[in-house]
Every structure is written in C-alpha cells, then in structure tokens.
Amino acid sequence: MHHVKKARRGDEPAATAKPAPSNVFAPFRAIGTVCNDVATNLQTLGTEAFLTTCVGTAFHVYNVDKFRLMSASAQTPEPISAVGAFKETTFAACRNIVHVFKRGKRVGELAHPSIDGTIFQIMVLGDYVLALSDDNQLTVWVHASGEVYSSLEFGAAFSATCFMHPHTYLNKVLVGSSQGTMQIWNIKTGKLIYEFDPLGSAVTTIVQSPVIDVVAIGTLDGHIHLHNLKLDERIGRYHQEARVTALAFRSDKDASMLASANHQGDIAIWDLAKRRLVHQVKGAHDGLIPSMHFLNGQPLLVTSGADNAIKQFIFDSPDGVPRLLKFRSGHSQPPTQVRFYDEHGRTLITAAKDRALRTFSVVRDAQSTEMSQGAGTGTAAATGTHATKGAKRHGITLDQLRLPPVTSLAANPLTERDWDNVITAHDNHPEARTWSFRRKALGDHKLVATDGGAVKAVAMSGCGNFAVIGSAQGALDVYNMQSGQHRRTIAGHRKAVTGVVVDRINRFVVSSSLDATIKVWDFKTGKELYTLPVPAPVTQLACHADNELIAIVADDLAVRVFDLETRRIVREFWGHRNRITDVAFSPDGRWLVSASLDATVKTWDLPTGCLIDQFRVDHVVTSLAFSPHGDYLATTHVDNLAVFLWANRSQFVNLSLRPLTDEDEVTELALPSAAGEDDEAEAAAAALADADADGEGNAGDVVVAAEITYSDYVTPVQIAAQMVTLSTYPKSRWQSLLNLDSLKTRNKPKEPPKKPEMAPFFLPTVAGLMPTFAADGAKDNDVGSLGLNKLTLESDFTVLLQECDAKREYGVFLASLVDMGPAAIDLEIRMLSELHLGAFMRAMLEHVAARRTFELGQSWINVFLKCHGEALSRTPEVAGELQALLDALDAEWGRVQRELRYCNCLLDFVRN
C-alpha cells in the first residue's frame, strides 16, 4: 500500500505554509538574479573568500575567486532587507525578524518584541549579532542561543542610519545619524560613551581603515571624512559627486588608497598619501552601489549594484587605475521576452527593458551571458576603463548607444555554425537586426521594412535560411539570412502586423494584423491564398510546427486555434478577464498555455477543448515558453528580474485531469526561488492527505500519485499472470550456464597447484556436492564411523526434487534452482538418474506455465536436454512429460514472438 508522507513544519512559522499545488505545474527554480540594492557581506574562510548577496526573498553565496554560485537559500516569508554571515551560518533580516540559515536551510530566527521597524543593517561581532532597525533601535543577540543580549534605543534627536565596530574597541560600536553626528555606545552596558560634533550632513556609511582609531565616514552631500576617533580630530576630507553609498580601503602593500561609490553607479579611487583623486569609474554599475569590499591583502575590489551585477576590479597598472577582471550579471530591468533556443531545452534567450539580449543556461548559471551589441555597449564598457570607451567616445549615454528594447524575437539553431541565426524587432525601430548565437554578438545584417514602418513582428523559416518581418504599415518582407538580401515584399494588411509564422517546410506564411484578419500567403510566390476574419484585432500568433496549429490571441480576450491544413478555427478558449500577454504550445501539441494581465496562467487541453489547470501569481506574466522536451515552462514577470522555471508534473507523476469551470477556485502559487522547490511533491502529498482526511476529496478532482515510502514497498515478483517476467539476475547467470564447458577450459590452470609450506588454518568441511562447514566438535574420522544405512548417493537437490514431485508442488525446488550458481546447477542436472527425469520435466513444465524467471528456465531446459537427450529418447515412460514440455515451450515462445513482431511493425509504421 502506498503511504502518504505528511510534511512537518514544526520549525517554521505558519506564514510559510505552502499553498495548494497546481494540477500541472510546480515551482522549480529562478535563474538570472545575482544581487539587488541590499548591501552584500564578504567573509574569508581559510584561503577562499565568499560573497553573500540578496535576491529578494532569498540570498546567494558566491565564491569570489570565480564568482561561482556555491549555494542558494530557501525562500523567506518577506523580502530580505539585510544579510550577515558567520562561517557557515547566515543571518537574513525580514522586516523585524532575523532568520538564521545553516548552509541555505533555515534553522531558527532571532526576534525581539520591541522592534517595530524594518532591520536594514546586520553585523556579526564575535558571539553576537547586531541589527539596526529604522525604528531607531539597535538590538544585540547571542547567536548561539538566540537570547537577546541588549537593546539600545536612541533618542528622537539622534536618528541612526548606520553603525560599525572600531577595531580594538571592546564591546563598542560607532553609530552614525541623519543629523550628521556620531556616537560610541557600549553594547554590554547599554551606555553612551562619547558623542562627536556634527559633520554638516547625514552620515550614510562608516568603515574601518587599516589604521587603528581611524575611520572613513561618507555623508549625504558627497563628502568623505577621515576621522581619528581617539583624538576626535579630522585627518582628511574629500568630495565626490552625489551621496556616498559605500567605502572600502585597500589592505595590501599599497594601503594608502580608498574607494568610494555613489548612488549613480560611479566609483572614485583616492590616493590618501597624495590626497588626490586617482581615477573615477563612471557608470561602473547602472544605479546604486550599496556595498564594495577590497579583498584582504589583494589589489582586488568587489562591488555589487542594484543593476543585478557583481563585479571584480583589479589594480595592476602603475598609475593605480582599475580594470574590470570578472563579473556576473543578469538583466537590470524586468525581462519581457523569453524563448527556449536549442532542441534540448538547455538555453534560454531573453530580452528586457534594459535594451539587452541575454542567454541563460538552465544547467549551469555560470554560462549565462549578454549578447554583445558592438564595441562600447557591453558590461565592460559600463566600467569606464581604458579597454573600452564606446559611449564616452561618441559623447552619448550607454542606453543611447544600445538598440531599443526588443519587442519580438525568433531563433533557429540549425544554422548556428553557418550564419546569423537570431533575429529581433525593436521598439519603434524600422530595422530588424540579426545576431550570431555562436559568437554571442550582433550580426552584420539590417533587415529594413521596405514600406518605411517600424518592424513589429519577426519569424524564421524552419530551415533557417529566411526571415520574415512584419511592419507597422501592414507589409511583410522576406530576407535571406545568409546574405541579408531582400527577396520579396508581401502587402495586404491595412494596419500593423502583429504576428508572423512560417510552417516547417516553407509552404505558407501566416500573418495577423490589427485589422482583425489572418492571412495565409504562399511562401514561394508571395500570393495571398485566403483570409480568415477574426471578431477582434489580433495581437499575437503562436505556431506548433509539427501539427500546423496556430494560436490566435485577440483583443476580445479569447484564444482561438487555427488549423492550417483544414483552414478553419478548431478551438476557442474563453476565460481570461484581462488582455492576454502570451501563449505557448506544449511540445506534443496537446496543451496550450496562456497568460494574462489578470495574473493567471491557464492550461487548455486541445483534444477535449477544456480548461484543465489554472493558477495565479503575485506578478503578471509578460512572456512564457515551453521547453522542447516539455519538462519546463519558463515565465517572465512584471517587476521581477528573474526567469522562472516551472516543472511539468506530468513528467514525473501520474495525472488524472478533469475539466475546470468558472466556479472552480484559482490556485495561488508563489514564484519559484533560486534554491528550487525540493519538497514540492511532499507538500502536494500532504495536501491530498489532509483533503482526504477531512472528507473533501472528490472523485473528479485531480489525482496525483502520493509519495511512496520505499522502505515499506516491495516490488511484486510478477505484475500480471499473463506477462512473461524475466529475473532480476544479470545475464551472466544464464550465459555462464550455457557456456560452462568453454569457461572451464579457459580457466583451467596451466600447472597443478602447489601445497604451501605453511598451510593456514581452515575450518573443517563436510564432503558432499554442496560443501558445508562441520559442526562444532566434528572430527575428521567421524565420516569413517558412519553406518552403512546412512550412506546415500542422492544429493539434497535430488531429495528435494522427489519431495516436491510427490506433492506436485515445485515452488521450493524452483526457488532453490534460482539461488544456485551455474556450476552447481550443471553438476546437479548431470547427476540426475533416469528415475528422476520425469520429475524434473514436470517441474520445468510448471515453471514455463508460471512465466517467471523466463530466461533462467530456458537455460535449465537447454542443459537438461543436452545432458539427457539420449536417455530420454530410449525411455518411453517419460515420453508424455517430454511432449507436454515441448508443446508448452512452443506455445509460450509463439505468443512472445507474436507480441514482439506486433511491436516491431508498430514502431516501423510510426517511424515511416
């Protein structure tokens, strides 16, 4: 019996309980996120440095050496506002609670009833965890026990903005405020030690310098102060553009260098010995830089930005100018397009509002990259280094140098090695651009709409040789992808073209338009074959190439399925309450998935024309795509930088789906996390068990296979009596029996064994066909003292055969045959006398009728007939048993061969 295993959530708050699962899709994982505007944490363990970054409701841990993702945490109930780390323990703050993680798994939490605000800074100080919240309170916990150690509440005249621990100041913290003043507090006694004079502007960040008693203070007006805490005097003052968001000191031999960052994404490098600005990296990040760190004893600067990127700069030039060494990034603005690229479903192509076209690997995150748009437009150009000058050389911004955001894209991997194989349309741009996926770069061809309108839709032929673009003026243009030459213009629509598809063998081109028509054109001649009117303007087309079905999305909130072969609408799906954003066919052509501005994702069954699944997410889906193997659904969402993968449950559980109606409740699902959903199946099984226990189960509801406790489950010996079942033993078991003579000849020793000089002690054995160890106290001369009435030539094998034959039940005898080795079976069968041949054939007849361990039984019969064939021919008493055995073998083999021939014919028919 299958046992449902209930999930235990004793260590987690009730708020984290998982919602009811979707019928078809389960959250799998999120890819494409690296960091956000929350400050990162850098710690060194041994010789390696690790960077902890925040990605919304989870955090990532990266190896700084190669920026390799080491671990991703489980999701938190709310967005993380601050992170801290101590060895393998990570502390993540969500509003007023600090969650404790051990290697990415939540193990506890730190809380205090007096905290009424959001924690925005965490620091680990020895055995203590310090957290500063926006309700003007600093709370200290003992992280080993979780007990509150102390709590500091600042007055209304001192609004704390940041804090740090000055080196060698025992139990002391330095706190900065929005009033521009700083205070030193003792966290053990809870007393104010000292207050400094105002700096004239709000303090935004404080860091310790390599020199004892000296700290660097960043302020809102862009000033950087070097202050000696012990003497309470200013050592130096510098000024940068905009407010200071992060500071870092070099700790290697050239320690007289300070790096500062602002909220515009610029980094300034200061020479403290010469008191001057060495270099300014303009646009190092596209937005706020919340934190940066110099690696201990190395000329390496690690930065993080709100643009979803972490970068590492190296100071290896004589003039102290940094260069970009390595980086890891994703889209800095939410993606709007996602498509699977290759036939294996391992690579995604995405486009976003940040004007970037990126590729993401579903298998290895490190292989994700941005496709280059030319010199000066990539991530390296954003660093402002000497290597790339791009946008600065042209006197324009980086966004102006890049192409407008992608509105439509198409790709064909067949011609990846030959020529450009990706084509994109851009927002209000009169040209479609080609890309080389192999080079990960912009191609040479510009495909211009001949009527002068902006390109609105693109498509590629199944062979990869041609591209079709649709313009805002209603015309279609066909181009050769290899040469970029224009082949023909197809005109016919009165308004903008919104979708273009080409069938697999280049017979038809299908286009849709805002004029509420679908037109089918001859690909070779460009002539219009027929027009299909639609009740509302069409906004999108999606094609399933194998069965030539086309999904039509219109403004009347319906999804229609058009059969290109029969030239008619075969399905209409109604149910969305707002504009439909994207649709996708499953690879087998059975399902159609649609997303809408009502934040729902619906799955429609094409053969039955019914809605079989629906779920709602917190953020509207902007684009979706099915993987070529049908195992994943990829989605992009409003206000999310990640690409989310949903696992197709039909790939690993048995689904029994029923039609849904408007009265059925829409399932609410949380978006997948970067760590994945390992216990999704367990949660589903628990939910089903709870529903069954409450008596709410419905025979028509979705039936999902419950989780099996494999320790309690025993595989049946035979699934059905009419099926031929093979044994679980390796094929060498019966092959060795059939070729035992050859094996003995091959393994025969070349010379007789020699007796060792010092023979080791062996346990005494009793002689016989099946050697066994002698019982305690047995002597060698005991064998000679046996009586004549105890001596026999029959082995245990023969005795067991006689006993089973007398009862006409051969189960025990056949079981012993299965357990015996090839050599023992061969010897026992050869030792059978003519008196026992009939009994053995009757046992084999029962074995053939049982249809179990079929291949072993055939090998036994083969050896038996080979050894005793002559004796059987001259013994008329066993002729009946022999004929019955041969008839049973012929009947069984004939049945097996008929089934095999039928399967082979069916497979040949499907292939051809």
Side-chain angles (χ1 to χ4, degrees):
M1 181 178 178
H2 294 184
H3 300 277
V4 175
K5 181 176 161 185
K6 289 200 174 185
R8 296 183 178 179
R9 297 288 184 266
D11 297 333
E12 297 185 6
T16 62
K18 291 185 178 293
S22 163
N23 297 348
V24 177
F25 298 105
F28 178 57
R29 62 180 295 227
I31 59 177
T33 53
V34 180
C35 63
N36 59 8
D37 57 354
V38 175
T40 60
N41 178 272
L42 180 72
Q43 69 166 338
T44 302
L45 298 177
T47 59
E48 296 189 21
F50 298 92
L51 186 71
T52 304
T53 66
C54 173
V55 288
T57 56
F59 62 84
H60 292 175
V61 179
Y62 293 93
N63 184 309
V64 177
D65 183 32
K66 296 182 179 180
F67 278 158
R68 184 174 67 251
L69 180 62
M70 305 302 293
S71 66
S73 74
Q75 282 188 304
T76 56
E78 296 182 70
I80 297 175
S81 56
V83 292
F86 176 73
K87 295 183 179 180
E88 295 179 349
T89 304
T90 304
F91 303 93
C94 297
R95 213 167 65 82
N96 60 346
I97 298 176
V98 178
H99 297 275
V100 184
F101 292 83
K102 191 82 168 181
R103 296 192 175 188
K105 301 295 183 181
R106 184 163 45 190
V107 296
E109 63 181 35
L110 306 176
H112 193 282
S114 64
I115 302 178
D116 193 29
T118 299
I119 297 172
F120 60 87
Q121 185 180 354
I122 292 178
M123 184 179 68
V124 180
L125 181 61
D127 297 332
Y128 307 105
V129 177
L130 289 72
L132 182 62
S133 54
D134 56 11
D135 60 351
N136 216 23
Q137 181 174 337
L138 180 66
T139 308
V140 184
W141 291 274
V142 180
H143 61 72
S145 62
E147 299 178 353
V148 177
Y149 182 72
S150 64
S151 180
L152 307 179
E153 295 186 4
F154 308 104
F158 186 88
S159 300
T161 56
C162 58
F163 73 98
M164 55 85 65
H165 166 65
H167 291 178
T168 71
Y169 285 57
L170 186 62
N171 296 327
K172 309 295 190 305
V173 291
L174 176 64
V175 186
S177 69
S178 59
Q179 289 78 18
T181 58
M182 298 187 301
Q183 296 178 350
I184 296 180
W185 287 77
N186 189 314
I187 61 173
K188 184 176 182 180
T189 62
K191 295 182 179 179
L192 174 64
I193 305 301
Y194 188 79
E195 184 171 2
F196 297 88
D197 294 333
L199 298 174
S201 182
V203 177
T204 56
T205 181
I206 311 173
V207 296
Q208 175 71 52
S209 75
V211 181
I212 301 299
D213 300 326
V214 177
V215 296
I217 307 159
T219 59
L220 188 64
D221 59 2
H223 282 95
I224 303 168
H225 304 268
L226 296 181
H227 202 89
N228 188 307
L229 300 179
K230 186 175 183 179
L231 303 178
D232 191 10
E233 63 179 20
R234 182 188 302 168
I235 299 176
R237 181 179 179 182
Y238 306 92
H239 182 264
Q240 70 169 24
E241 298 178 3
R243 67 183 177 95
V244 181
T245 58
L247 296 169
F249 285 93
R250 284 184 63 174
S251 58
D252 57 334
K253 61 180 180 180
D254 298 324
S256 61
M257 189 170 288
L258 172 68
S260 63
N262 61 19
H263 71 281
Q264 297 175 350
D266 305 329
I267 298 176
I269 308 300
W270 307 89
D271 189 331
L272 302 180
K274 299 180 180 179
R275 295 178 177 267
R276 67 180 182 88
L277 178 66
V278 175
H279 184 70
Q280 191 169 13
V281 184
K282 282 285 189 180
H285 287 271
D286 187 15
L288 170 72
I289 301 178
S291 60
M292 57 184 181
H293 315 271
F294 271 103
L295 297 187
N296 188 25
Q298 302 181 56
L300 297 174
L301 177 66
V302 179
T303 65
S304 67
D307 59 350
N308 194 27
I310 53 177
K311 300 182 180 181
Q312 188 176 126
F313 297 87
I314 184 170
F315 293 77
D316 56 355
S317 61
D319 55 359
V321 175
R323 65 178 177 88
L324 183 65
L325 181 62
K326 61 189 69 170
F327 63 92
R328 183 161 184 163
S329 61
H331 283 295
S332 60
Q333 294 188 32
T336 57
Q337 296 281 331
V338 60
R339 295 292 181 266
F340 279 92
Y341 170 73
D342 59 332
E343 61 181 1
H344 302 292
R346 298 173 182 172
T347 305
L348 289 165
I349 300 181
T350 62
K353 297 179 180 179
D354 59 0
R355 304 182 176 221
L357 188 68
R358 304 187 70 92
T359 64
F360 290 98
S361 173
V362 177
V363 181
R364 295 189 62 185
D365 287 343
Q367 295 178 352
S368 305
T369 184
E370 178 182 352
M371 299 185 75
S372 172
Q373 300 187 27
T377 61
T379 304
T383 64
T385 61
H386 294 313
T388 54
K389 298 186 181 296
K392 296 197 299 180
R393 182 172 62 249
H394 293 86
I396 58 178
T397 64
L398 183 63
D399 282 345
Q400 291 173 327
L401 191 63
R402 285 180 171 179
L403 292 170
V406 174
T407 57
S408 178
L409 67 89
N412 192 324
L414 294 179
T415 57
E416 176 182 334
R417 296 180 179 272
D418 303 318
W419 51 76
D420 296 348
N421 64 324
V422 180
I423 181 173
T424 56
H426 301 267
D427 188 24
N428 292 325
H429 201 61
E431 300 171 347
R433 299 303 301 267
T434 61
W435 304 73
S436 172
F437 187 87
R438 181 176 61 85
R439 296 187 294 109
K440 301 294 189 297
L442 186 66
D444 299 327
H445 304 316
K446 300 178 181 179
L447 312 185
V448 182
T450 55
D451 60 0
V455 178
K456 293 296 185 180
V458 295
M460 289 188 66
S461 62
C463 60
N465 292 323
F466 300 98
V468 183
I469 63 174
S471 76
Q473 301 296 328
L476 302 175
D477 292 285
V478 181
Y479 282 87
N480 184 282
M481 286 294 291
Q482 181 179 6
S483 62
Q485 295 294 318
H486 182 265
R487 294 307 182 197
R488 67 184 63 89
T489 298
I490 304 174
H493 287 292
R494 300 187 307 273
K495 293 184 179 180
V497 176
T498 55
V500 181
V501 296
V502 182
D503 73 327
R504 183 179 289 277
I505 57 177
N506 295 355
R507 291 186 303 165
F508 307 115
V509 176
V510 184
S511 61
S512 64
S513 171
L514 293 179
D515 61 7
T517 61
I518 302 294
K519 292 183 179 291
V520 181
W521 316 83
D522 185 274
F523 184 84
K524 293 182 179 180
T525 63
K527 294 181 180 180
E528 180 181 341
L529 299 179
Y530 54 92
T531 300
L532 177 72
V534 182
V538 181
T539 59
Q540 186 183 355
L541 292 181
C543 178
H544 190 279
D546 292 338
N547 55 21
E548 296 187 342
L549 294 180
I550 299 175
I552 303 171
V553 179
D555 278 342
D556 59 356
L557 309 184
V559 180
R560 297 172 175 85
V561 180
F562 174 68
D563 190 342
L564 191 58
E565 192 67 30
T566 61
R567 302 185 179 185
R568 64 188 182 93
I569 300 293
V570 295
R571 291 288 184 271
E572 284 192 10
F573 299 121
W574 299 82
H576 284 293
R577 306 301 175 88
N578 207 329
R579 185 173 68 85
I580 298 170
T581 56
D582 203 0
V583 293
F585 283 97
S586 63
D588 57 3
R590 183 177 180 86
W591 294 342
L592 179 68
V593 183
S594 60
S596 169
L597 289 179
D598 58 9
T600 61
V601 177
K602 297 179 181 290
T603 304
W604 313 88
D605 187 68
L606 291 175
T608 62
C610 298
L611 175 67
I612 57 173
D613 181 55
Q614 57 182 342
F615 64 90
R616 180 178 285 109
V617 291
D618 294 335
H619 302 274
V620 173
V621 176
T622 56
S623 181
L624 55 83
F626 237 120
S627 66
H629 289 171
D631 44 0
Y632 299 122
L633 178 72
T635 60
T636 60
H637 299 257
V638 173
D639 299 331
N640 276 277
L641 303 180
V643 177
F644 299 95
L645 298 179
W646 305 78
N648 184 358
R649 301 169 72 99
S650 66
Q651 298 283 324
F652 52 88
V653 296
N654 296 322
L655 298 181
S656 178
L657 303 172
R658 68 173 179 88
L660 302 180
T661 63
D662 293 339
E663 287 75 21
D664 288 296
E665 183 180 357
V666 181
T667 302
E668 301 280 346
L669 289 186
L671 293 177
S673 67
E677 299 291 336
D678 296 334
D679 55 350
E680 183 67 26
E682 181 179 339
L688 288 171
D690 294 340
D692 184 63
D694 296 338
E696 298 176 355
N698 192 336
D701 290 344
V702 176
V703 179
V704 181
E707 183 175 350
I708 299 173
T709 305
Y710 288 97
S711 59
D712 299 335
Y713 182 76
V714 179
T715 304
V717 177
Q718 192 173 21
I719 298 177
Q722 66 273 20
M723 296 179 63
V724 172
T725 306
L726 303 182
S727 70
T728 58
Y729 290 96
K731 63 180 182 180
S732 60
R733 174 68 70 94
W734 57 268
Q735 286 181 342
S736 299
L737 179 59
L738 296 178
N739 302 280
L740 194 60
D741 294 338
S742 301
L743 294 175
K744 290 180 178 179
T745 304
R746 185 187 64 185
N747 298 332
K748 184 178 180 180
K750 297 181 180 180
E751 57 182 13
K754 298 179 181 179
K755 183 178 180 180
E757 297 180 0
M758 297 297 292
F761 169 78
F762 289 99
L763 291 175
T765 58
V766 176
L769 294 176
M770 298 290 291
T772 56
F773 291 114
D776 294 340
K779 304 295 183 179
D780 293 341
N781 55 5
D782 287 347
V783 178
S785 62
L786 290 175
L788 293 177
N789 58 343
K790 296 183 179 180
L791 293 176
T792 178
L793 296 176
E794 294 183 350
S795 65
D796 295 339
F797 178 84
T798 306
V799 173
L800 180 60
L801 176 60
Q802 289 177 339
E803 294 176 355
C804 293
D805 186 61
K807 301 176 183 178
R808 290 298 191 267
E809 294 179 358
Y810 302 94
V812 178
F813 173 74
L814 294 175
S816 66
L817 264 176
V818 172
D819 294 335
M820 292 170 63
I825 293 175
D826 182 82
L827 179 61
E828 293 288 1
I829 291 178
R830 290 180 184 275
M831 294 289 292
L832 288 174
S833 66
E834 294 184 2
L835 299 176
H836 303 136
L837 298 183
F840 187 84
M841 284 190 290
R842 286 189 289 273
M844 291 298 101
L845 185 61
E846 180 174 316
H847 180 271
V848 172
R851 300 190 179 106
R852 292 195 296 266
T853 60
F854 189 74
E855 81 283 13
L856 294 183
Q858 297 301 306
S859 63
W860 302 335
I861 297 173
N862 180 285
V863 174
F864 174 75
L865 295 177
K866 184 170 60 175
C867 295
H868 302 285
E870 184 178 353
L872 292 174
S873 63
R874 65 171 183 264
T875 309
E877 292 82 0
V878 295
E881 286 84 355
L882 179 61
Q883 187 61 43
L885 179 60
L886 294 178
D887 292 342
L889 288 174
D890 289 340
E892 198 60 40
W893 269 110
R895 191 175 70 89
V896 171
Q897 288 175 350
R898 285 194 301 271
E899 297 293 339
L900 290 175
R901 282 195 294 266
Y902 175 80
C903 293
N904 288 334
C905 293
L906 182 61
L907 289 176
D908 291 339
F909 174 78
V910 173
R911 291 193 189 102
N912 298 329

